[in-house]
Amino acid sequence: MLELIAMFSIGKTIRNIAVEKRLKPSPFIVNMVLLWLGFEFVGAFIGLTIFNNLMGGYFCGLAGAAIGGYLGYQRVVRAEPEVY
């Protein structure tokens, strides 16, 4: 549940930054969600493989989700503003 709140909060922040730079926010938000989920599943898989228990998979999945959210945020921060 807290992950969804964090995902919506980061998505809202990404939308505000993209609108401020006069860019379409939807590709950046979709990218963040895909990175978040992708890194979460990869992290959980690696955690389950290394630690061989559910808690290791859970915490590695959370770390992967944090990395994916950060990368999605950095993509919009480093995007060039649209010039008209």
Side-chain angles (χ1 to χ4, degrees):
M1 185 66 171
L2 291 175
E3 284 187 41
L4 290 176
I5 294 171
M7 193 180 290
F8 280 114
S9 175
I10 294 172
K12 186 176 178 183
T13 303
I14 287 173
R15 183 182 60 81
N16 291 338
I17 292 170
V19 168
E20 183 178 297
K21 291 184 175 187
R22 295 183 178 147
L23 299 169
K24 290 175 115 180
S26 56
F28 294 105
I29 294 171
V30 169
N31 186 32
M32 185 270 301
V33 170
L34 292 177
L35 283 170
W36 182 300
L37 294 175
F39 274 85
E40 184 173 10
F41 286 126
V42 169
F45 178 74
I46 290 171
L48 286 172
T49 304
I50 292 173
F51 298 110
N52 202 19
N53 63 15
L54 291 177
M55 289 305 288
Y58 178 73
F59 286 119
C60 287
L62 283 178
I67 292 169
Y70 175 75
L71 292 175
Y73 174 79
Q74 283 299 312
R75 182 168 182 254
V76 72
V77 168
R78 294 174 188 232
E80 294 294 325
E82 186 70 33
V83 178
Y84 292 106

